[in-house]
């Protein structure tokens, strides 16, 4: 497992990373950091959420000389929001090294930003329009700028900033190092790279495969001191086939391990180091004993269960003051977690808007509650998915052929390689038996009870 230290970062930067709680590099960081530290130009194809800000921010900070007041690095962003976000991140990564980071963006008084630039700003993060404006007023001088980043370059071009970006690049030293990050690579981005980057390395990461759709997710508010008891209660009620319990620190893991061992419980306890790269395809349950320190970490943690063809369950403990952390995770995944109770079987709902803290979880609205006459529902897994050209109506058609009514088929979700649905428990076995073997889309249907 690669560490940030292995990537060649300076001690002050490593110290700051410990402070912000990053334990291991994300895939884009693992590839981009050594490349940029070598001094090479780079094209990074990565989305927000991949950890791209640290991927360019850390090498940039590694190079900046804290004793030199000149602007040494410039990060261009398409929007004000991204500008502020990137500034905050880079400030936190550069704090121990004493690096001054200034944000410049439109819609705010230019005089204040001019004053900030006069009094420092070794790293400037700015929106294209405001940067150009400040250059033309001689408030931003780029002759010592040896590092330039174009963040979300495709968006910059979509917003019509190509000409301005080219103008700004032409005002920086030709010996500069340039990194371009973009989620997509349309021809305009390729042209720009060819013109302004020198033999760039291409670093590409797959968008994180959010397996969260196949995982039933719950949260449980627990004061810190009660967590071990709550864990015992959850394990007792859930009776997991195989569970991983995630904690933030190794010390915590050791203590909890001893306690559970004394009580005769066998579970795997891990820190986030284990969350990346660990592939335990039989894991049925993930318990977040501590709230993950970022939404991305949450996805990595619960991605240990709900692997292809299986459904999993995840329970996240949060302490009374951590409801904002939970809200951030729900916003990132688009899922409102159900409140865990020993009988919790409800399925989380996809949401489009971030859940409000005071709102009751949507699942209590019972839109998918079983119709009275059906009794309890059973979740099934169908072996066909979008990749087979299957749509929801194909699954429904296959089931109505074996005698189910349309309204008895609930929560059909067609995913890439398989689909999930629910039918009355009393019909589940018969339906699996009779519908399996029929043709759906281009593939043969195999239908099984989830977790069975
Ligand atoms: P970004 O894609 O740069 O917007 O980062 C997405 C989120 O992941 C932010 O909340 C970062 O603070 C967090 N993050 C970035 N890198 C790491 C890491 N190596 N470990 C844990 N969290 C990270």
């Amino acid at each position: 497992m690669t560490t940030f230290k292995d990537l060649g970062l300076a001690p002050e930067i490593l110290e700051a990373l410990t402070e912000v709680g990053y334990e291991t590099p994300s895939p884009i960081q693992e590839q981009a950091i050594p490349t940029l530290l070598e001094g090479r130009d780079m094209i990074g194809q990565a989305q927000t959420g991949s950890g791209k800000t640290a991927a360019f921010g850390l090498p940039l900070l590694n190079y900046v000389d804290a004793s030199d007041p000149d602007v040494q690095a410039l990060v261009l962003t398409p929007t004000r929001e991204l500008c502020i976000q990137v500034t905050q991140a880079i400030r936190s990564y550069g704090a121990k090294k004493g690096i001054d980071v200034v944000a410049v963006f439109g819609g705010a008084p230019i005089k204040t930003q001019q004053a900030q630039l006069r009094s420092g700003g070794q790293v400037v993060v700015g929106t294209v329009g405001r940067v150009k404006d400040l250059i033309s007023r001689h408030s931003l001088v780029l002759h010592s700028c040896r590092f330039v980043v174009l963040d979300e370059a495709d968006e910059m071009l979509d917003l019509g900033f190509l000409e301005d970006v080219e103008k700004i690049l032409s005002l920086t030293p030709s010996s500069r190092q340039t990194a371009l990050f973009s989620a997509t690579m349309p021809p305009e981005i390729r042209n720009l790279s060819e013109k302004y980057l020198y033999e760039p390395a291409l670093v590409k990461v797959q968008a994180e495969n959010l397996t969260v759709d196949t995982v039933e997710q719950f949260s449980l508010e627990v004061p810190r001191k009660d967590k071990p008891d709550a864990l015992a209660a959850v394990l007792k009620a859930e009776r997991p086939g195989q569970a991983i319990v995630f904690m933030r620190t190794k010390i915590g893991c050791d203590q909890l391990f001893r306690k559970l061992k004394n009580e005769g419980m066998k579970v795997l306890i891990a820190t986030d180091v284990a969350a990346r790269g660990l592939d335990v395809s039989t894991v049925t349950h993930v318990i977040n004993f501590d709230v993950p320190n970022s939404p991305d970490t949450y996805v990595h943690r619960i991605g240990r269960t709900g692997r292809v063809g299986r459904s999993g369950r995840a329970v996240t403990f949060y302490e009374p003051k951590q409801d904002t952390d939970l809200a951030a995770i729900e916003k990132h995944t688009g899922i409102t977690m159900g409140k865990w109770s020993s009988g919790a079987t409800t399925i989380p709902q996809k949401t489009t808007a971030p859940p409000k803290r005071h709102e009751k979880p949507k699942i209590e609205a019972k839109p998918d509650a079983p119709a009275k006459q059906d009794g309890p529902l059973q979740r099934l897994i169908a072996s066909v998915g979008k990749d087979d050209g299957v749509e929801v109506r194909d699954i429904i058609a296959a089931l109505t052929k074996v005698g189910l009514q349309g309204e008895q088929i609930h929560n059909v979700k067609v995913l890439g390689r398989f689909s999930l649905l629910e039918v009355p428990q009393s019909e589940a076995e018969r339906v699996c038996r009779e519908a399996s073997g029929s043709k759906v889309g281009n593939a043969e249907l195999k239908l099984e009870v989830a977790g069975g």
Side-chain angles (χ1 to χ4, degrees):
M1 178 87 48
T2 314
T3 63
F4 281 110
K5 194 166 174 221
D6 297 336
L7 300 180
L9 293 164
E12 303 103 308
I13 308 282
L14 296 174
E15 226 180 292
L17 290 177
T18 309
E19 200 108 309
V20 293
Y22 296 0
E23 290 185 346
T24 40
S26 71
I28 185 90
Q29 291 163 1
E30 212 171 299
Q31 295 179 62
I33 292 171
T35 307
L36 290 172
L37 286 178
E38 260 175 41
R40 287 195 66 178
D41 282 1
M42 200 199 93
I43 299 173
Q45 193 167 356
Q47 268 106 1
T48 299
S50 57
K52 68 182 165 64
T53 316
F56 65 74
L58 301 177
L60 164 165
L61 288 161
N62 216 69
Y63 272 125
V64 172
D65 177 355
S67 64
D68 177 355
D70 284 356
V71 177
Q72 298 164 56
L74 172 71
V75 180
L76 286 177
T77 67
T79 63
R80 180 157 62 148
E81 290 70 27
L82 185 65
C83 172
I84 294 169
Q85 203 181 309
V86 169
T87 305
Q88 284 168 343
I90 296 189
R91 256 187 209 142
S92 66
Y93 307 146
K96 298 280 172 193
K97 202 175 166 183
I99 305 292
D100 193 19
V101 186
V102 170
V104 299
F105 48 83
I110 197 162
K111 285 216 156 55
T112 317
Q113 295 171 0
Q114 285 175 307
Q116 285 174 328
L117 289 171
R118 266 197 303 278
S119 66
Q122 291 135 329
V123 178
V124 172
V125 183
T127 53
V128 179
R130 184 53 63 99
V131 165
K132 197 175 148 229
D133 199 355
L134 286 162
I135 293 173
S136 68
R137 293 170 193 236
H138 305 289
S139 299
L140 179 57
V141 180
L142 296 174
H143 57 63
S144 300
C145 179
R146 63 165 308 270
F147 206 108
V148 177
V149 180
L150 307 178
D151 193 11
E152 302 197 351
D154 47 357
E155 291 209 10
M156 258 179 233
L157 267 47
D158 284 348
L159 292 169
F161 288 134
L162 177 62
E163 217 174 289
D164 290 345
V165 169
E166 291 194 295
K167 171 91 186 142
I168 295 167
L169 285 171
S170 71
L171 293 171
T172 59
S174 55
S175 58
R176 68 170 186 268
Q177 184 179 359
T178 315
L180 177 151
F181 281 78
S182 190
T184 60
M185 286 290 152
E188 299 79 15
I189 294 284
R190 288 177 202 282
N191 291 343
L192 186 73
S193 315
E194 269 169 32
K195 222 160 140 187
Y196 293 95
L197 274 64
Y198 177 72
E199 296 182 355
L202 180 63
V203 170
K204 191 172 168 180
V205 292
Q206 290 293 330
E208 188 61 52
N209 183 16
L210 299 180
T211 52
V212 296
D213 273 357
T214 58
V215 182
E216 293 183 63
Q217 297 159 64
F218 302 94
S219 64
L220 182 62
E221 185 177 334
V222 197
R224 184 185 298 221
K225 65 172 175 40
D226 297 338
K227 282 183 179 178
D229 290 340
L231 177 63
V234 167
L235 292 174
K236 194 161 164 240
E238 293 278 333
R239 283 188 285 145
Q242 183 168 7
I244 301 187
V245 178
F246 280 108
M247 301 187 74
R248 276 198 195 181
T249 64
K250 199 163 171 306
I251 295 175
C253 284
D254 295 341
Q255 287 168 350
L256 185 67
F257 179 72
R258 276 199 294 278
K259 182 178 163 59
L260 290 180
K261 203 170 147 203
N262 287 342
E263 294 182 12
M265 293 193 206
K266 285 201 183 75
V267 288
L268 178 61
I269 307 174
T271 61
D272 288 307
V273 176
R276 296 181 191 272
L278 186 79
D279 183 6
V280 185
S281 52
T282 53
V283 170
T284 56
H285 286 70
V286 168
I287 320 279
N288 290 313
F289 192 85
D290 296 316
V291 174
N293 56 13
S294 77
D296 208 27
T297 307
Y298 175 81
V299 172
H300 276 274
R301 284 186 181 184
I302 75 161
R304 301 309 107 200
T305 183
R307 288 281 165 128
V308 181
R310 293 172 196 275
S311 60
R313 284 163 75 86
V315 183
T316 300
F317 291 178
Y318 66 104
E319 294 166 29
K321 283 193 185 137
Q322 293 176 327
D323 49 357
T324 40
D325 294 353
L326 202 72
I329 290 170
E330 292 185 326
K331 182 178 171 201
H332 182 76
T333 57
I335 284 203
T336 303
M337 295 180 213
K339 296 283 170 213
W340 187 87
S341 69
S342 54
T345 53
T346 20
I347 291 155
Q349 299 297 296
K350 270 272 181 200
T351 54
T352 43
K356 296 214 175 64
R357 258 193 278 164
H358 58 269
E359 254 178 26
K360 281 202 154 201
K362 286 213 168 53
I363 59 165
E364 289 175 14
K366 296 195 189 308
D368 297 319
K372 263 208 178 81
Q373 67 274 22
D374 283 346
L377 296 179
Q378 173 63 54
R379 202 164 209 213
L380 304 181
I381 298 180
S383 60
V384 291
K386 276 189 202 134
D387 298 356
D388 306 298
V390 166
E391 294 178 23
V392 171
R393 59 170 177 207
D394 300 321
I395 304 257
I396 293 177
L399 296 184
T400 48
K401 270 194 207 138
V402 297
L404 279 188
Q405 302 293 318
E407 58 272 22
Q408 289 181 294
I409 307 163
H410 300 261
N411 285 323
V412 182
K413 278 193 196 140
V414 178
L415 304 168
R417 281 190 270 172
F418 62 102
S419 305
L420 295 167
L421 62 141
E422 291 177 74
V423 300
Q425 212 167 54
S426 54
E427 292 276 45
E429 275 205 71
R430 180 189 71 78
V431 167
C432 287
R433 204 173 46 242
E434 292 182 16
S436 290
S438 60
K439 197 101 177 164
V440 177
N442 308 320
E444 190 181 288
L445 174 67
K446 204 167 143 237
L447 199 60
E448 285 178 354
V449 169

